[in-house]
Amino acid sequence: MGSVQIVTTILAFAITAVAVWLAVRAVMKMVAVIRLGQPDPTRFGDKGTRTKTMLAETAGHTRMLRWSVVGAAHWFVMVGFIVLSLLVLEAYFEVVSPTGGLPLVGNWAIYGLVTEWLAILGLVSILVLIAIRLRNRPTRPGGKSRFTGSTMWQGYFVEGIILAVLIMGFVIRGFKVATDHFEYPVWAAPLSHAVGGVLPNWEAGVSIAALVKIAISMTWLIVIALNVTMGVAWHRFLAFFNIFFKRDPGANVSGLGALRPMTSQGKPLDFEEADPEKDQFGVAQVEQFTWKGLLDFSTCTECGRCQSQCPAWNTGKPLSPKLLVLSLRDHAYAKAPYLLAGGGKDLTGEEKATAAQLAHMDVLALAEAEKPLIGTAEEGGIIDPDVLWSCTTCGACVEQCPVDIEHVDHIVDMRRYQVLIESSFPSEAGVMLRNLENKGNPWGAPQNTREDWTKGLDFEVPRVGEVDDFEYLFWVGCAGAFEDRAKKTTRAVATLLNEAGVKFAILGEGETCSGDPARRIGNEFVFQMLAQQNVETLNEAFEGREKSKRKIVATCPHCFNTLGNEYGQLGGEFEVVHHTQLLAHLVSTGKLTPVQPVDGGVTYHDPCYLGRHNRVFAPPREVLGTAISGELTEMPRNSERSFCCGAGGARMWMEEKIGKRINVDRVEEAMSTGAKTVAVGCPFCSTMLNDGVNGKGAGEQVEVVDVASVLLRSVKPEQAPGGTDTERLPVAG
């Protein structure tokens, strides 16, 4: 070992020792902060499925590859980071000796070939990612960037480090080539040989370049160890755990569909026995999130995919799912010294720490602890109320997140506390909640008018109790029973089912609201009251039937989602289908036959709770495909990336006072296709898009109708029974 190697060895191991010590300390701090969260025992079941899903999403990049160029580039960088870590390890042998290398595999040509090409592709990929970050920088002219609000220096730093490490890898190999110490032939390492052709024959160059590579790598480790909230770097390690512990590892997208039940100390809350002084009602303090919530916040990569797809953010609202998560993350880590020292408020608001403990606590942490979780800027709040109430719970953020953060659950948990304990929510939503409690529907309509939609039909609509021989229970829903436009859809579906010979029955006055708007606004108490009533009614209607024969068809995706995904939490197990799924089946089996195609061009709007939340994309399109002339014209944002109508999350009953109206944005996109008919599969979407069309003054040019109405006009072109909303649909020649 020469004098150069002695110096490089000492320096390499010294900086490594410092980096490792700081990294261990950082990991211990992160674990301590995450463990401050509430228990969640549901995250540990079905380890086999969890492992398979984690490997598929990480090694297979199944979520990232939806964005083809970025996903492919990120895959090569990720694989390069893992595999080429061996080259960093190899550098420790090279600082000791210019001829050093990894034991066992270091002389294999195949090892040289794999690492060479991973480094080449990684180099190209990181340059692509840097170019994308620069092209989408927040300061660029025109349009919002998905990186707005991200800590840009951290992104540039991480990408710059990766680039530098890859370059130094080729420099080391180049010096080995120049000094004739390289193990691999030209075919296995062409770029390394090319670099070696221009470098001098300098043996010390290998060890010095190896030291530089180690120093760069350890500098990265030191910087991230000193910045535990640096998600753009820490997600490389945390993503594996966050994906493994996702809510439903078997689902296509975990965190969509059903909401998490309201829990206290890891157990579902029983409102008959719950005590606000002993049980946690929603989330009022950051430590009241589950440990998985705190892991979510720590894992955020600041990539901004959630932000780029969020309907609120895209229409000028203050909500960005990314910025919400980052605010909660920064608050949790700033407050952590106070919490770890024994501080915190109990459920009555009393301080847990003693005066002696408080006297020795970090002043900045104490100040952070005094900030309300929900509050305006003047109040020092972490999350502004306008941010909290802008969410439509459409799930676009959850759909797009590459590390499976469950934004919607966290937002609803904060809403629950605001509604149930603080009674703080948009005033106009209060009318809706009172109507649900007193009338059993958000419109406040008399219960004895639930069956009025059946009047004038030329066939009898059977009621449960009057007939026992029915295949489907037709869940009409509040909109379908009381809202004039939705009633036409209800009549169209009933007419089509009757035409196809499907045996169905309705509950009539026995039906009440599914509870969706109450649950998503945060009023879990009203939701459970309504849901338990419905579960009892439905169980009685299906008494004696096994689950596979307890079939329900619903026209409202919100009812469809609630009955099918959430009633199981309360003892209601049913097979629930959306009407477009049933109609597609009836058409494909020949029980409904379109005879006259609808003309004029048709586009389809995917309802969030049908498409993104429940993955029902094909059936509505199959129905439309048989009922229209020509091909369906898709909007730019469709299927998984469909844009919300603005009604979800109980926003249907709240005024949209900030920014551009979401429904107007969607209507403009629909109108840009040139289609004369906008087909929908949801009564909320129908209302919102109709309002948007009328607001644009295009009511005479563009018609918004349900898929069922399009099909009915094609199946029975000679009439529109009972006043369905098919009167204005043009038919082909």
Side-chain angles (χ1 to χ4, degrees):
M1 181 186 294
S3 58
V4 171
Q5 282 73 39
I6 292 173
V7 173
T8 55
T9 301
I10 293 172
L11 292 176
F13 283 89
I15 192 172
T16 300
V18 172
V20 169
W21 177 73
L22 289 173
V24 169
R25 189 182 69 168
V27 169
M28 291 175 65
K29 179 178 180 180
M30 295 178 79
V31 170
V33 171
I34 291 168
R35 290 184 67 181
L36 288 169
Q38 300 302 303
D40 188 353
T42 64
R43 304 286 177 169
F44 297 94
D46 201 358
K47 292 182 175 59
T49 300
R50 291 183 181 279
T51 302
K52 290 177 185 176
T53 301
M54 183 268 289
L55 292 174
E57 288 193 23
T58 52
H61 254 42
T62 51
R63 293 172 69 79
M64 284 291 294
L65 287 173
R66 295 173 184 173
W67 301 74
S68 52
V69 173
V70 177
H74 191 275
W75 187 86
F76 282 113
V77 170
M78 182 203 72
V79 173
F81 175 80
I82 296 171
V83 177
L84 299 182
S85 295
L86 292 173
L87 296 185
V88 176
L89 177 61
E90 188 174 37
Y92 286 94
F93 293 91
E94 292 161 339
V95 294
V96 175
S97 168
T99 61
L102 279 181
L104 301 178
V105 300
N107 293 319
W108 294 358
I110 190 66
Y111 169 75
L113 175 69
V114 170
T115 52
E116 178 85 358
W117 280 101
L118 278 177
I120 292 171
L121 293 170
L123 195 62
V124 172
S125 296
I126 198 64
L127 289 172
V128 168
L129 294 179
I130 290 171
I132 290 172
R133 187 177 292 273
L134 289 170
R135 189 184 66 195
N136 291 284
R137 64 193 184 280
T139 55
R140 83 195 197 287
K144 287 187 174 182
S145 166
R146 65 184 175 94
F147 293 117
T148 298
S150 298
T151 314
M152 294 302 287
W153 76 262
Q154 295 180 354
Y156 292 133
F157 172 77
V158 169
E159 290 166 345
I161 287 288
I162 295 170
L163 181 63
V165 167
L166 290 170
I167 290 172
M168 290 311 301
F170 286 111
V171 171
I172 294 170
R173 286 187 164 189
F175 273 122
K176 283 190 169 183
V177 170
T179 56
D180 201 26
H181 295 319
F182 197 46
E183 305 95 329
Y184 314 120
V186 175
W187 63 266
L191 184 56
S192 296
H193 279 275
V195 172
V198 298
L199 291 178
N201 184 353
W202 181 34
E203 285 209 1
V206 175
S207 296
I208 292 173
L211 173 63
V212 172
K213 181 175 182 177
I214 290 170
I216 292 171
S217 300
M218 293 305 108
T219 298
W220 174 80
L221 190 56
I222 289 170
V223 170
I224 73 167
L226 295 174
N227 293 272
V228 289
T229 59
M230 195 171 175
V232 69
W234 280 107
H235 83 274
R236 296 182 178 200
F237 311 106
L238 297 179
F240 297 99
F241 300 98
N242 211 52
I243 294 169
F244 181 87
F245 289 116
K246 65 161 69 177
R247 173 148 62 90
D248 186 358
N252 190 292
V253 180
S254 180
L256 294 180
L259 284 172
R260 283 182 70 250
M262 194 165 160
T263 61
S264 179
Q265 292 299 312
K267 299 178 181 178
L269 202 63
D270 183 347
F271 279 97
E272 292 184 0
E273 301 178 359
D275 181 352
E277 294 188 359
K278 298 178 181 178
D279 295 301
Q280 181 180 315
F281 279 55
V283 169
Q285 304 288 337
V286 72
E287 65 271 21
Q288 291 177 349
F289 286 105
T290 67
W291 62 263
K292 175 56 168 64
L294 296 178
L295 178 59
D296 271 357
F297 309 151
S298 303
T299 309
C300 180
T301 72
E302 303 190 26
C303 67
R305 297 194 187 286
C306 57
Q307 181 172 284
S308 70
Q309 301 297 300
C310 177
W313 178 259
N314 277 285
T315 54
K317 315 291 189 293
L319 168 64
S320 157
K322 177 186 71 177
L323 298 181
L324 179 141
V325 165
L326 298 187
S327 296
L328 293 171
R329 178 197 69 188
D330 294 345
H331 174 55
Y333 281 89
K335 188 178 179 181
Y338 159 77
L339 296 170
L340 292 170
K345 302 286 196 302
D346 64 21
L347 294 173
T348 64
E350 294 296 318
E351 176 59 56
K352 297 177 184 178
T354 64
Q357 285 177 303
L358 291 174
H360 296 90
M361 283 187 186
D362 182 275
V363 175
L364 294 178
L366 281 172
E368 193 73 23
E370 292 302 314
K371 295 180 179 179
L373 188 66
I374 307 298
T376 62
E378 292 76 17
E379 296 167 335
I382 305 304
I383 305 297
D384 191 278
D386 284 335
V387 169
L388 188 67
W389 298 110
S390 291
C391 180
T392 67
T393 68
C394 70
C397 49
V398 180
E399 169 76 39
Q400 292 300 324
C401 183
V403 293
D404 285 305
I405 293 172
E406 296 161 2
H407 312 73
V408 173
D409 283 341
H410 305 320
I411 288 171
V412 172
D413 272 341
M414 289 186 284
R415 285 183 171 186
R416 284 166 169 166
Y417 181 83
Q418 293 300 303
V419 173
L420 293 171
I421 302 299
E422 297 290 337
S423 295
S424 176
F425 49 87
S427 58
E428 61 270 21
V431 176
M432 177 268 291
L433 289 173
R434 285 193 296 274
N435 284 337
L436 286 177
E437 289 191 72
N438 300 326
K439 299 290 188 178
N441 68 85
W443 281 274
Q447 185 72 354
N448 60 11
T449 62
R450 269 197 181 267
E451 299 179 34
D452 283 2
W453 65 270
T454 64
K455 295 177 180 177
L457 291 174
D458 56 6
F459 58 93
E460 190 70 25
V461 177
R463 278 76 173 166
V464 172
E466 297 176 4
V467 293
D468 295 322
D469 185 23
F470 61 90
E471 183 180 4
Y472 286 94
L473 188 150
F474 182 12
W475 182 272
V476 176
C478 298
F482 301 121
E483 203 271 328
D484 288 341
R485 190 179 294 109
K487 282 197 283 188
K488 297 176 182 179
T489 300
T490 305
R491 294 164 71 88
V493 172
T495 301
L496 288 166
L497 295 181
N498 183 69
E499 181 76 11
V502 175
K503 294 181 179 179
F504 70 97
I506 63 171
L507 289 172
E509 294 183 26
E511 184 183 304
T512 191
C513 179
S514 68
D516 165 85
R519 187 168 226 196
R520 273 146 187 82
I521 203 173
N523 198 325
E524 186 75 4
F525 176 78
V526 171
F527 164 73
Q528 290 203 20
M529 177 185 73
L530 295 168
Q532 287 170 350
Q533 180 180 336
N534 281 325
V535 167
E536 290 176 10
T537 301
L538 290 168
N539 283 340
E540 184 179 339
F542 288 121
E543 189 174 2
R545 297 194 190 191
E546 57 196 61
K547 181 181 176 181
S548 62
K549 295 182 179 179
R550 295 156 67 95
K551 297 180 181 179
I552 299 174
V553 57
T555 57
C556 175
H558 297 264
C559 296
F560 164 68
N561 177 70
T562 303
L563 272 62
N565 295 328
E566 296 184 340
Y567 275 17
Q569 299 170 3
L570 300 169
E573 297 290 337
F574 314 109
E575 292 288 342
V576 188
V577 298
H578 189 252
H579 72 283
T580 58
Q581 294 175 295
L582 181 54
L583 294 179
H585 171 72
L586 295 175
V587 171
S588 67
T589 55
K591 293 181 179 178
L592 289 175
T593 305
V595 295
Q596 182 69 59
V598 174
D599 207 352
V602 178
T603 190
Y604 174 65
H605 163 78
D606 286 276
C608 300
Y609 273 83
L610 180 64
R612 190 156 41 238
H613 278 277
N614 284 285
R615 326 309 294 174
V616 180
F617 301 117
R621 289 172 169 81
E622 291 169 2
V623 173
L624 292 171
T626 64
I628 65 175
S629 61
E631 293 186 3
L632 184 71
T633 305
E634 293 283 10
M635 287 184 253
R637 294 176 292 193
N638 65 77
S639 302
E640 293 93 341
R641 297 188 194 176
S642 179
F643 198 70
C644 183
C645 74
R651 289 292 321 175
M652 178 84 172
W653 291 274
M654 300 183 221
E655 287 297 322
E656 198 168 343
K657 301 173 183 176
I658 304 172
K660 183 179 182 181
R661 294 183 68 86
I662 294 173
N663 61 335
V664 171
D665 191 292
R666 185 57 165 169
V667 161
E668 289 174 353
E669 184 174 5
M671 292 174 64
S672 71
T673 66
K676 301 301 182 187
T677 300
V678 181
V680 297
C682 171
F684 291 0
C685 295
S686 178
T687 296
M688 298 299 285
L689 297 186
N690 263 296
D691 289 350
V693 167
N694 293 332
K696 297 292 293 183
E700 295 301 317
Q701 293 81 44
V702 178
E703 182 78 359
V704 180
V705 291
D706 192 88
V707 170
S709 297
V710 178
L711 178 62
L712 179 60
R713 186 65 183 92
S714 180
V715 170
K716 304 185 74 171
E718 75 286 353
Q719 59 175 331
T724 65
D725 55 350
T726 61
E727 290 91 337
R728 291 175 49 200
L729 289 175
V731 293

